[in-house]
Amino acid sequence: MRSPFKLRSRFNINNYSNLGQRVITGLIGASVIVAGSIYSEWLYFLIFGLILIFSQMEFYKLSGLDGMLPLKSFGTFLGFIIFALTFLIELQHLQDKYYFLIFPLASLVFFIKLYRKSDKKPFTGVAFTFLGIFYVAVPFSLLNLAAFSVDGTFHYEIIIGSLFILWASDTGAYFAGTKFGKTKLFERVSPKKSWEGFLGGAFLAFTIAYVLSIYFNSLPEWQWFCITGIIIIAGTYGDLIESLFKRSIEIKDSGKILPGHGGFMDRFDGLLLSAPFIAAFLKIF
């Protein structure tokens, strides 16, 4: 009789095709995010806080490959502080006056760089430190505003609903583009993306949005459709912008931690550009 250990040891995700790895990793990751967000707002905070940290560290690592010297540890720490402040303030555990802590903390970047003698271009490092915060930490922090936007209480439906729509858009675009893709969407930046894939992703995203509007009543149907339009457009641009960033430093994936997907930025690039628009839309309307 074979031992359970030997049976388990034979499972290696790297033995699967790229699509197989993509599906397995996606299902595991989605299950953790969805279950955690539904179970508790604090588990949501922990999961997305970790995603933020890994994503921001990835960005700084990639910046370093291009010769930039951002403050990796302090920049990531500051990004997480912004995320934590928005969450605690929206949860009404802190007053909104504590947002003012961000400004003196951010100013410390200049002080730290002043004492780094090895930096030949310190202000380039300063700029990329702040870019990492603005590009990665701020969008994740704005998700907190979106989650609490309806009545001041945490609505996991807004978070996982937006993710379902984003994943549907990505999945529809992948399969429609693979099967029917002929007309290039933005060949200079991403040669594999096509208009057929974009339309396939849009169709599946709106289908999922309709289903969500039936079961998730925290938002009316028209708002789910507006969020879907935001995600389809902004998410596509987010993917293209990250592709442009990777192309500028001549790499294929932002990392290797997620089999079939690459890095955290590869997986959440669409969310990074969608989140500010979603939060603004829900706060205004």
Side-chain angles (χ1 to χ4, degrees):
M1 181 177 178
R2 295 179 182 176
S3 71
F5 175 78
K6 287 183 178 179
L7 288 173
R8 287 196 301 270
S9 66
R10 291 194 173 190
F11 174 78
N12 186 343
I13 195 169
N14 293 321
N15 292 333
Y16 291 81
S17 66
N18 183 266
L19 178 59
Q21 293 179 28
R22 190 181 184 90
V23 170
I24 293 169
T25 304
L27 287 174
I28 294 172
S31 299
V32 171
I33 291 172
V34 171
S37 299
I38 293 174
Y39 183 77
S40 163
E41 62 263 35
W42 288 103
L43 198 50
Y44 151 81
F45 170 76
L46 176 63
I47 291 170
F48 276 84
L50 288 173
I51 294 172
L52 183 156
I53 290 170
F54 284 120
S55 299
Q56 200 165 344
M57 290 296 288
E58 254 181 23
F59 175 82
Y60 288 142
K61 181 181 178 181
L62 296 179
S63 300
L65 295 177
D66 204 27
M68 308 304 168
L69 295 173
L71 297 175
K72 298 178 184 178
S73 299
F74 185 77
T76 304
F77 166 75
L78 184 55
F80 180 77
I81 289 295
I82 294 171
F83 177 76
L85 279 175
T86 56
F87 178 78
L88 294 172
I89 290 170
E90 291 297 316
L91 199 60
Q92 298 182 1
H93 281 20
L94 290 177
Q95 296 178 8
D96 57 7
K97 65 182 180 181
Y98 287 98
Y99 275 129
F100 287 96
L101 287 174
I102 295 171
F103 302 106
L105 286 173
S107 298
L108 291 177
V109 172
F110 297 98
F111 290 89
I112 295 170
K113 275 294 182 181
L114 182 66
Y115 286 93
R116 290 284 180 91
K117 297 179 180 179
S118 59
D119 289 4
K120 294 181 180 179
K121 296 181 178 180
F123 268 80
T124 304
V126 168
F128 272 82
T129 301
F130 285 126
L131 180 58
I133 294 168
F134 187 79
Y135 181 43
V136 179
V138 170
F140 277 110
S141 301
L142 289 173
L143 284 178
N144 296 328
L145 273 66
F148 288 88
S149 63
V150 176
D151 52 16
T153 59
F154 179 74
H155 285 273
Y156 69 83
E157 305 100 312
I158 296 174
I159 299 298
I160 65 173
S162 297
L163 288 174
F164 280 147
I165 293 167
L166 178 64
W167 293 335
S169 178
D170 288 345
T171 303
Y174 178 83
F175 285 105
T178 302
K179 183 71 175 178
F180 306 107
K182 292 181 180 180
T183 312
K184 301 300 181 182
L185 178 66
F186 211 117
E187 189 171 9
R188 178 174 63 87
V189 174
S190 187
K192 292 184 179 181
K193 285 185 172 50
S194 65
W195 278 105
E196 291 82 2
F198 174 82
L199 293 174
F203 174 78
L204 186 57
F206 275 111
T207 303
I208 293 298
Y210 174 72
V211 175
L212 290 173
S213 70
I214 297 173
Y215 294 99
F216 289 169
N217 303 122
S218 53
L219 297 176
E221 185 180 73
W222 73 272
Q223 285 190 324
W224 280 119
F225 286 149
C226 287
I227 288 174
T228 302
I230 290 171
I231 289 173
I232 291 168
I233 297 171
T236 300
Y237 274 110
D239 195 354
L240 290 170
I241 288 168
E242 204 228 348
S243 295
L244 181 64
F245 177 51
K246 291 187 295 185
R247 185 172 287 270
S248 69
I249 52 179
E250 300 179 345
I251 61 167
K252 183 179 182 292
D253 296 320
S254 66
K256 297 180 180 179
I257 195 169
L258 300 174
H261 294 273
F264 279 90
M265 287 184 64
D266 292 318
R267 180 64 278 178
F268 294 97
D269 51 6
L271 186 65
L272 295 180
L273 216 64
S274 299
F277 290 94
I278 294 171
F281 167 74
L282 291 175
K283 281 293 187 180
I284 293 171
F285 297 102

Short mmCIF file of all heavy atoms in Angstrom, two decimals, residues 178-235:
data_model
loop_
_atom_site.label_atom_id
_atom_site.label_comp_id
_atom_site.label_asym_id
_atom_site.label_seq_id
_atom_site.Cartn_x
_atom_site.Cartn_y
_atom_site.Cartn_z
N THR A 178 -7.88 33.51 -27.77
CA THR A 178 -7.19 32.30 -28.25
C THR A 178 -7.91 31.67 -29.43
O THR A 178 -7.28 31.21 -30.39
CB THR A 178 -7.07 31.27 -27.11
OG1 THR A 178 -6.36 31.86 -26.01
CG2 THR A 178 -6.32 30.03 -27.57
N LYS A 179 -9.25 31.68 -29.38
CA LYS A 179 -10.05 31.01 -30.42
C LYS A 179 -10.28 31.89 -31.64
O LYS A 179 -10.17 31.42 -32.79
CB LYS A 179 -11.41 30.61 -29.81
CG LYS A 179 -12.32 29.85 -30.74
CD LYS A 179 -11.82 28.44 -30.99
CE LYS A 179 -12.82 27.64 -31.82
NZ LYS A 179 -12.32 26.28 -32.12
N PHE A 180 -10.58 33.17 -31.40
CA PHE A 180 -11.01 34.02 -32.52
C PHE A 180 -10.10 35.23 -32.77
O PHE A 180 -10.33 35.97 -33.72
CB PHE A 180 -12.44 34.55 -32.25
CG PHE A 180 -13.44 33.48 -31.97
CD1 PHE A 180 -13.93 33.29 -30.68
CD2 PHE A 180 -13.90 32.65 -32.98
CE1 PHE A 180 -14.86 32.30 -30.41
CE2 PHE A 180 -14.83 31.65 -32.72
CZ PHE A 180 -15.31 31.47 -31.42
N GLY A 181 -9.12 35.44 -31.92
CA GLY A 181 -8.32 36.67 -31.98
C GLY A 181 -7.56 36.86 -33.28
O GLY A 181 -6.71 36.04 -33.65
N LYS A 182 -7.88 37.93 -34.00
CA LYS A 182 -7.17 38.29 -35.24
C LYS A 182 -6.81 39.76 -35.28
O LYS A 182 -5.73 40.13 -35.74
CB LYS A 182 -8.06 37.95 -36.46
CG LYS A 182 -8.28 36.46 -36.67
CD LYS A 182 -9.14 36.20 -37.90
CE LYS A 182 -9.35 34.70 -38.11
NZ LYS A 182 -10.20 34.43 -39.31
N THR A 183 -7.72 40.61 -34.81
CA THR A 183 -7.50 42.06 -34.87
C THR A 183 -6.78 42.53 -33.61
O THR A 183 -7.32 42.43 -32.51
CB THR A 183 -8.85 42.81 -34.98
OG1 THR A 183 -9.64 42.21 -36.01
CG2 THR A 183 -8.61 44.28 -35.29
N LYS A 184 -5.56 43.01 -33.77
CA LYS A 184 -4.73 43.40 -32.62
C LYS A 184 -5.33 44.59 -31.89
O LYS A 184 -5.77 45.57 -32.50
CB LYS A 184 -3.31 43.71 -33.07
CG LYS A 184 -2.60 42.56 -33.77
CD LYS A 184 -2.48 41.34 -32.86
CE LYS A 184 -1.75 40.20 -33.54
NZ LYS A 184 -1.68 38.99 -32.68
N LEU A 185 -5.31 44.51 -30.56
CA LEU A 185 -5.86 45.58 -29.73
C LEU A 185 -4.84 46.69 -29.52
O LEU A 185 -5.15 47.87 -29.67
CB LEU A 185 -6.30 45.01 -28.37
CG LEU A 185 -6.86 46.00 -27.35
CD1 LEU A 185 -8.17 46.59 -27.84
CD2 LEU A 185 -7.07 45.30 -26.00
N PHE A 186 -3.60 46.30 -29.16
CA PHE A 186 -2.55 47.29 -28.89
C PHE A 186 -1.21 46.57 -29.11
O PHE A 186 -0.49 46.28 -28.16
CB PHE A 186 -2.65 47.79 -27.44
CG PHE A 186 -2.19 49.21 -27.25
CD1 PHE A 186 -3.09 50.18 -26.83
CD2 PHE A 186 -0.88 49.58 -27.48
CE1 PHE A 186 -2.69 51.50 -26.64
CE2 PHE A 186 -0.46 50.87 -27.29
CZ PHE A 186 -1.36 51.85 -26.87
N GLU A 187 -0.92 46.30 -30.37
CA GLU A 187 0.19 45.41 -30.72
C GLU A 187 1.54 45.91 -30.22
O GLU A 187 2.40 45.11 -29.86
CB GLU A 187 0.24 45.23 -32.24
CG GLU A 187 1.22 44.16 -32.69
CD GLU A 187 1.11 43.86 -34.16
OE1 GLU A 187 0.39 44.60 -34.88
OE2 GLU A 187 1.74 42.89 -34.61
N ARG A 188 1.73 47.21 -30.17
CA ARG A 188 3.03 47.75 -29.75
C ARG A 188 3.38 47.34 -28.33
O ARG A 188 4.55 47.11 -28.00
CB ARG A 188 3.00 49.29 -29.85
CG ARG A 188 4.30 49.96 -29.39
CD ARG A 188 4.25 51.45 -29.65
NE ARG A 188 3.19 52.11 -28.89
CZ ARG A 188 3.36 52.56 -27.62
NH1 ARG A 188 4.51 52.37 -27.00
NH2 ARG A 188 2.36 53.17 -27.01
N VAL A 189 2.38 47.22 -27.47
CA VAL A 189 2.61 46.91 -26.06
C VAL A 189 2.35 45.44 -25.76
O VAL A 189 3.11 44.80 -25.04
CB VAL A 189 1.72 47.80 -25.16
CG1 VAL A 189 1.84 47.38 -23.70
CG2 VAL A 189 2.10 49.26 -25.33
N SER A 190 1.26 44.89 -26.32
CA SER A 190 0.87 43.51 -26.01
C SER A 190 0.39 42.82 -27.28
O SER A 190 -0.79 42.88 -27.62
CB SER A 190 -0.23 43.51 -24.94
OG SER A 190 -0.51 42.20 -24.52
N PRO A 191 1.30 42.17 -28.01
CA PRO A 191 0.97 41.59 -29.32
C PRO A 191 -0.13 40.53 -29.29
O PRO A 191 -0.78 40.30 -30.31
CB PRO A 191 2.30 40.97 -29.77
CG PRO A 191 3.35 41.67 -28.96
CD PRO A 191 2.71 42.00 -27.66
N LYS A 192 -0.35 39.86 -28.16
CA LYS A 192 -1.31 38.77 -28.10
C LYS A 192 -2.75 39.24 -27.87
O LYS A 192 -3.68 38.49 -28.09
CB LYS A 192 -0.92 37.78 -27.00
CG LYS A 192 0.36 37.01 -27.30
CD LYS A 192 0.65 35.99 -26.23
CE LYS A 192 1.92 35.19 -26.54
NZ LYS A 192 2.20 34.18 -25.49
N LYS A 193 -2.92 40.44 -27.41
CA LYS A 193 -4.28 40.93 -27.10
C LYS A 193 -4.99 41.34 -28.39
O LYS A 193 -4.39 41.94 -29.28
CB LYS A 193 -4.22 42.10 -26.12
CG LYS A 193 -3.92 41.66 -24.70
CD LYS A 193 -4.00 42.80 -23.74
CE LYS A 193 -3.89 42.29 -22.31
NZ LYS A 193 -2.78 41.38 -22.10
N SER A 194 -6.29 41.01 -28.44
CA SER A 194 -7.07 41.29 -29.65
C SER A 194 -8.41 41.91 -29.28
O SER A 194 -8.89 41.80 -28.15
CB SER A 194 -7.31 40.00 -30.44
OG SER A 194 -8.11 39.10 -29.69
N TRP A 195 -9.03 42.55 -30.26
CA TRP A 195 -10.36 43.12 -30.07
C TRP A 195 -11.39 42.02 -29.86
O TRP A 195 -12.35 42.19 -29.09
CB TRP A 195 -10.75 43.97 -31.28
CG TRP A 195 -10.16 45.35 -31.22
CD1 TRP A 195 -9.11 45.83 -31.94
CD2 TRP A 195 -10.60 46.43 -30.38
NE1 TRP A 195 -8.85 47.15 -31.62
CE2 TRP A 195 -9.75 47.54 -30.65
CE3 TRP A 195 -11.61 46.57 -29.42
CZ2 TRP A 195 -9.90 48.76 -30.00
CZ3 TRP A 195 -11.76 47.79 -28.76
CH2 TRP A 195 -10.91 48.87 -29.06
N GLU A 196 -11.20 40.88 -30.51
CA GLU A 196 -12.11 39.76 -30.31
C GLU A 196 -12.06 39.27 -28.86
O GLU A 196 -13.10 38.96 -28.26
CB GLU A 196 -11.75 38.62 -31.26
CG GLU A 196 -12.02 38.90 -32.73
CD GLU A 196 -10.92 39.71 -33.41
OE1 GLU A 196 -9.90 40.01 -32.75
OE2 GLU A 196 -11.08 40.01 -34.60
N GLY A 197 -10.84 39.22 -28.32
CA GLY A 197 -10.69 38.85 -26.92
C GLY A 197 -11.33 39.86 -25.99
O GLY A 197 -12.00 39.51 -25.01
N PHE A 198 -11.15 41.14 -26.30
CA PHE A 198 -11.75 42.21 -25.50
C PHE A 198 -13.27 42.08 -25.46
O PHE A 198 -13.90 42.17 -24.41
CB PHE A 198 -11.34 43.56 -26.08
CG PHE A 198 -12.01 44.75 -25.42
CD1 PHE A 198 -11.52 45.26 -24.23
CD2 PHE A 198 -13.12 45.34 -25.99
CE1 PHE A 198 -12.13 46.34 -23.62
CE2 PHE A 198 -13.74 46.41 -25.40
CZ PHE A 198 -13.25 46.92 -24.21
N LEU A 199 -13.88 41.84 -26.63
CA LEU A 199 -15.33 41.72 -26.71
C LEU A 199 -15.83 40.45 -26.02
O LEU A 199 -16.88 40.45 -25.36
CB LEU A 199 -15.78 41.72 -28.18
CG LEU A 199 -15.55 43.04 -28.93
CD1 LEU A 199 -15.89 42.88 -30.39
CD2 LEU A 199 -16.37 44.17 -28.31
N GLY A 200 -15.05 39.37 -26.13
CA GLY A 200 -15.42 38.14 -25.42
C GLY A 200 -15.38 38.33 -23.91
O GLY A 200 -16.26 37.86 -23.19
N GLY A 201 -14.36 39.04 -23.45
CA GLY A 201 -14.25 39.34 -22.03
C GLY A 201 -15.39 40.23 -21.55
O GLY A 201 -15.94 40.03 -20.47
N ALA A 202 -15.75 41.22 -22.37
CA ALA A 202 -16.84 42.13 -22.02
C ALA A 202 -18.16 41.38 -21.92
O ALA A 202 -18.96 41.61 -20.99
CB ALA A 202 -16.94 43.25 -23.06
N PHE A 203 -18.40 40.48 -22.86
CA PHE A 203 -19.66 39.70 -22.84
C PHE A 203 -19.77 38.86 -21.58
O PHE A 203 -20.80 38.87 -20.90
CB PHE A 203 -19.72 38.79 -24.08
CG PHE A 203 -20.91 37.86 -24.07
CD1 PHE A 203 -22.17 38.33 -24.40
CD2 PHE A 203 -20.75 36.53 -23.72
CE1 PHE A 203 -23.28 37.47 -24.39
CE2 PHE A 203 -21.85 35.67 -23.70
CZ PHE A 203 -23.11 36.14 -24.04
N LEU A 204 -18.71 38.15 -21.23
CA LEU A 204 -18.75 37.30 -20.03
C LEU A 204 -18.84 38.15 -18.76
O LEU A 204 -19.55 37.78 -17.81
CB LEU A 204 -17.51 36.40 -19.98
CG LEU A 204 -17.48 35.36 -18.86
CD1 LEU A 204 -18.71 34.44 -18.95
CD2 LEU A 204 -16.20 34.52 -18.92
N ALA A 205 -18.17 39.29 -18.75
CA ALA A 205 -18.20 40.17 -17.57
C ALA A 205 -19.61 40.70 -17.33
O ALA A 205 -20.10 40.72 -16.18
CB ALA A 205 -17.22 41.33 -17.75
N PHE A 206 -20.29 41.15 -18.38
CA PHE A 206 -21.67 41.65 -18.22
C PHE A 206 -22.63 40.53 -17.84
O PHE A 206 -23.60 40.77 -17.10
CB PHE A 206 -22.14 42.35 -19.50
CG PHE A 206 -21.72 43.79 -19.57
CD1 PHE A 206 -20.77 44.21 -20.50
CD2 PHE A 206 -22.26 44.73 -18.71
CE1 PHE A 206 -20.38 45.54 -20.58
CE2 PHE A 206 -21.88 46.07 -18.78
CZ PHE A 206 -20.94 46.47 -19.72
N THR A 207 -22.37 39.32 -18.32
CA THR A 207 -23.20 38.18 -17.93
C THR A 207 -23.07 37.92 -16.44
O THR A 207 -24.07 37.71 -15.73
CB THR A 207 -22.79 36.92 -18.72
OG1 THR A 207 -22.89 37.17 -20.12
CG2 THR A 207 -23.66 35.74 -18.35
N ILE A 208 -21.84 37.92 -15.95
CA ILE A 208 -21.60 37.71 -14.52
C ILE A 208 -22.20 38.86 -13.71
O ILE A 208 -22.78 38.64 -12.63
CB ILE A 208 -20.10 37.59 -14.24
CG1 ILE A 208 -19.53 36.31 -14.88
CG2 ILE A 208 -19.80 37.61 -12.74
CD1 ILE A 208 -20.13 35.03 -14.33
N ALA A 209 -22.10 40.08 -14.21
CA ALA A 209 -22.67 41.24 -13.51
C ALA A 209 -24.18 41.09 -13.35
O ALA A 209 -24.73 41.44 -12.30
CB ALA A 209 -22.33 42.52 -14.26
N TYR A 210 -24.84 40.59 -14.38
CA TYR A 210 -26.29 40.38 -14.30
C TYR A 210 -26.63 39.36 -13.21
O TYR A 210 -27.55 39.56 -12.42
CB TYR A 210 -26.83 39.92 -15.65
CG TYR A 210 -28.30 39.55 -15.60
CD1 TYR A 210 -29.27 40.53 -15.48
CD2 TYR A 210 -28.69 38.20 -15.66
CE1 TYR A 210 -30.62 40.20 -15.41
CE2 TYR A 210 -30.03 37.86 -15.59
CZ TYR A 210 -30.99 38.86 -15.47
OH TYR A 210 -32.32 38.52 -15.39
N VAL A 211 -25.86 38.28 -13.16
CA VAL A 211 -26.09 37.25 -12.13
C VAL A 211 -25.84 37.84 -10.74
O VAL A 211 -26.61 37.60 -9.80
CB VAL A 211 -25.18 36.02 -12.38
CG1 VAL A 211 -25.32 35.01 -11.25
CG2 VAL A 211 -25.51 35.38 -13.72
N LEU A 212 -24.77 38.61 -10.60
CA LEU A 212 -24.45 39.23 -9.32
C LEU A 212 -25.56 40.16 -8.86
O LEU A 212 -25.89 40.22 -7.66
CB LEU A 212 -23.14 40.02 -9.42
CG LEU A 212 -21.85 39.20 -9.57
CD1 LEU A 212 -20.67 40.13 -9.83
CD2 LEU A 212 -21.58 38.36 -8.34
N SER A 213 -26.15 40.91 -9.79
CA SER A 213 -27.20 41.85 -9.43
C SER A 213 -28.44 41.16 -8.87
O SER A 213 -29.22 41.76 -8.14
CB SER A 213 -27.58 42.70 -10.65
OG SER A 213 -28.27 41.92 -11.62
N ILE A 214 -28.60 39.88 -9.20
CA ILE A 214 -29.74 39.10 -8.68
C ILE A 214 -29.50 38.68 -7.24
O ILE A 214 -30.40 38.75 -6.39
CB ILE A 214 -30.00 37.87 -9.56
CG1 ILE A 214 -30.38 38.30 -10.98
CG2 ILE A 214 -31.08 36.97 -8.96
CD1 ILE A 214 -30.49 37.15 -11.97
N TYR A 215 -28.27 38.25 -6.95
CA TYR A 215 -27.96 37.68 -5.64
C TYR A 215 -27.33 38.67 -4.67
O TYR A 215 -27.44 38.50 -3.45
CB TYR A 215 -27.04 36.46 -5.81
CG TYR A 215 -27.70 35.32 -6.53
CD1 TYR A 215 -27.48 35.11 -7.89
CD2 TYR A 215 -28.57 34.46 -5.86
CE1 TYR A 215 -28.10 34.06 -8.56
CE2 TYR A 215 -29.19 33.41 -6.52
CZ TYR A 215 -28.95 33.22 -7.87
OH TYR A 215 -29.57 32.18 -8.53
N PHE A 216 -26.63 39.68 -5.18
CA PHE A 216 -25.99 40.67 -4.33
C PHE A 216 -26.80 41.97 -4.38
O PHE A 216 -26.76 42.70 -5.36
CB PHE A 216 -24.55 40.95 -4.78
CG PHE A 216 -23.60 39.81 -4.50
CD1 PHE A 216 -22.32 39.82 -5.06
CD2 PHE A 216 -23.95 38.76 -3.69
CE1 PHE A 216 -21.42 38.79 -4.79
CE2 PHE A 216 -23.06 37.71 -3.43
CZ PHE A 216 -21.81 37.74 -3.98
N ASN A 217 -27.54 42.23 -3.31
CA ASN A 217 -28.46 43.37 -3.31
C ASN A 217 -27.88 44.63 -2.67
O ASN A 217 -28.62 45.60 -2.46
CB ASN A 217 -29.76 42.99 -2.58
CG ASN A 217 -30.42 41.77 -3.21
OD1 ASN A 217 -30.64 40.77 -2.54
ND2 ASN A 217 -30.71 41.84 -4.50
N SER A 218 -26.61 44.61 -2.36
CA SER A 218 -26.00 45.80 -1.75
C SER A 218 -25.92 46.95 -2.75
O SER A 218 -25.87 48.12 -2.36
CB SER A 218 -24.59 45.48 -1.23
OG SER A 218 -23.81 44.89 -2.25
N LEU A 219 -25.93 46.63 -4.05
CA LEU A 219 -25.93 47.64 -5.11
C LEU A 219 -27.06 47.34 -6.08
O LEU A 219 -27.36 46.17 -6.35
CB LEU A 219 -24.60 47.65 -5.87
CG LEU A 219 -23.33 48.01 -5.10
CD1 LEU A 219 -22.11 47.87 -6.02
CD2 LEU A 219 -23.40 49.42 -4.55
N PRO A 220 -27.70 48.37 -6.66
CA PRO A 220 -28.73 48.13 -7.68
C PRO A 220 -28.08 47.64 -8.98
O PRO A 220 -26.88 47.79 -9.19
CB PRO A 220 -29.37 49.50 -7.86
CG PRO A 220 -28.35 50.48 -7.41
CD PRO A 220 -27.57 49.80 -6.32
N GLU A 221 -28.92 47.11 -9.84
CA GLU A 221 -28.43 46.51 -11.09
C GLU A 221 -27.63 47.50 -11.93
O GLU A 221 -26.58 47.15 -12.47
CB GLU A 221 -29.61 45.99 -11.91
CG GLU A 221 -29.21 45.25 -13.17
CD GLU A 221 -30.42 44.75 -13.94
OE1 GLU A 221 -31.11 45.59 -14.55
OE2 GLU A 221 -30.68 43.53 -13.92
N TRP A 222 -28.11 48.75 -12.03
CA TRP A 222 -27.43 49.72 -12.89
C TRP A 222 -26.02 50.02 -12.40
O TRP A 222 -25.11 50.27 -13.20
CB TRP A 222 -28.25 51.00 -13.03
CG TRP A 222 -28.27 51.88 -11.81
CD1 TRP A 222 -29.14 51.81 -10.77
CD2 TRP A 222 -27.38 52.97 -11.52
NE1 TRP A 222 -28.85 52.78 -9.83
CE2 TRP A 222 -27.79 53.51 -10.28
CE3 TRP A 222 -26.29 53.54 -12.20
CZ2 TRP A 222 -27.13 54.59 -9.69
CZ3 TRP A 222 -25.64 54.61 -11.61
CH2 TRP A 222 -26.05 55.13 -10.37
N GLN A 223 -25.82 49.98 -11.08
CA GLN A 223 -24.47 50.22 -10.56
C GLN A 223 -23.53 49.05 -10.84
O GLN A 223 -22.36 49.25 -11.11
CB GLN A 223 -24.53 50.52 -9.05
CG GLN A 223 -25.05 51.92 -8.74
CD GLN A 223 -24.87 52.29 -7.29
OE1 GLN A 223 -25.00 51.46 -6.39
NE2 GLN A 223 -24.57 53.55 -7.04
N TRP A 224 -24.07 47.83 -10.77
CA TRP A 224 -23.24 46.67 -11.13
C TRP A 224 -22.81 46.76 -12.59
O TRP A 224 -21.66 46.46 -12.93
CB TRP A 224 -24.01 45.37 -10.90
CG TRP A 224 -24.03 44.91 -9.47
CD1 TRP A 224 -25.12 44.74 -8.67
CD2 TRP A 224 -22.90 44.53 -8.67
NE1 TRP A 224 -24.74 44.30 -7.43
CE2 TRP A 224 -23.38 44.16 -7.40
CE3 TRP A 224 -21.52 44.48 -8.91
CZ2 TRP A 224 -22.54 43.75 -6.37
CZ3 TRP A 224 -20.68 44.08 -7.88
CH2 TRP A 224 -21.20 43.71 -6.63
N PHE A 225 -23.71 47.21 -13.47
CA PHE A 225 -23.36 47.33 -14.88
C PHE A 225 -22.35 48.46 -15.10
O PHE A 225 -21.45 48.35 -15.95
CB PHE A 225 -24.61 47.56 -15.72
CG PHE A 225 -25.46 46.34 -15.89
CD1 PHE A 225 -26.83 46.43 -16.03
CD2 PHE A 225 -24.88 45.08 -15.92
CE1 PHE A 225 -27.61 45.30 -16.19
CE2 PHE A 225 -25.65 43.94 -16.08
CZ PHE A 225 -27.02 44.04 -16.22
N CYS A 226 -22.47 49.55 -14.34
CA CYS A 226 -21.50 50.64 -14.45
C CYS A 226 -20.12 50.18 -13.97
O CYS A 226 -19.09 50.50 -14.59
CB CYS A 226 -21.95 51.86 -13.64
SG CYS A 226 -23.33 52.76 -14.37
N ILE A 227 -20.09 49.46 -12.85
CA ILE A 227 -18.82 48.92 -12.35
C ILE A 227 -18.20 47.97 -13.37
O ILE A 227 -16.98 47.96 -13.58
CB ILE A 227 -19.05 48.20 -11.00
CG1 ILE A 227 -19.31 49.23 -9.90
CG2 ILE A 227 -17.84 47.33 -10.63
CD1 ILE A 227 -19.68 48.62 -8.55
N THR A 228 -19.05 47.19 -14.03
CA THR A 228 -18.55 46.27 -15.07
C THR A 228 -17.91 47.04 -16.22
O THR A 228 -16.82 46.67 -16.69
CB THR A 228 -19.70 45.40 -15.61
OG1 THR A 228 -20.29 44.68 -14.52
CG2 THR A 228 -19.19 44.42 -16.65
N GLY A 229 -18.57 48.11 -16.66
CA GLY A 229 -17.98 48.94 -17.72
C GLY A 229 -16.64 49.52 -17.29
O GLY A 229 -15.68 49.56 -18.08
N ILE A 230 -16.56 49.97 -16.04
CA ILE A 230 -15.30 50.50 -15.51
C ILE A 230 -14.21 49.44 -15.54
O ILE A 230 -13.09 49.68 -15.98
CB ILE A 230 -15.50 51.02 -14.07
CG1 ILE A 230 -16.35 52.30 -14.07
CG2 ILE A 230 -14.15 51.27 -13.39
CD1 ILE A 230 -16.79 52.74 -12.69
N ILE A 231 -14.55 48.24 -15.06
CA ILE A 231 -13.56 47.17 -14.96
C ILE A 231 -13.08 46.72 -16.34
O ILE A 231 -11.89 46.48 -16.55
CB ILE A 231 -14.14 45.98 -14.16
CG1 ILE A 231 -14.26 46.36 -12.69
CG2 ILE A 231 -13.27 44.73 -14.33
CD1 ILE A 231 -14.97 45.33 -11.84
N ILE A 232 -14.01 46.61 -17.29
CA ILE A 232 -13.63 46.18 -18.63
C ILE A 232 -12.63 47.15 -19.25
O ILE A 232 -11.60 46.74 -19.81
CB ILE A 232 -14.88 46.05 -19.53
CG1 ILE A 232 -15.75 44.89 -19.06
CG2 ILE A 232 -14.48 45.85 -20.99
CD1 ILE A 232 -17.12 44.86 -19.69
N ILE A 233 -12.92 48.44 -19.15
CA ILE A 233 -12.06 49.45 -19.78
C ILE A 233 -10.79 49.70 -18.96
O ILE A 233 -9.67 49.56 -19.47
CB ILE A 233 -12.84 50.76 -19.98
CG1 ILE A 233 -14.01 50.54 -20.95
CG2 ILE A 233 -11.92 51.86 -20.53
CD1 ILE A 233 -14.97 51.70 -21.06
N ALA A 234 -10.97 50.05 -17.68
CA ALA A 234 -9.81 50.37 -16.84
C ALA A 234 -8.95 49.13 -16.61
O ALA A 234 -7.72 49.22 -16.56
CB ALA A 234 -10.27 50.96 -15.51
N GLY A 235 -9.60 47.96 -16.46
CA GLY A 235 -8.84 46.72 -16.26
C GLY A 235 -7.98 46.38 -17.46
O GLY A 235 -6.84 45.93 -17.31
#
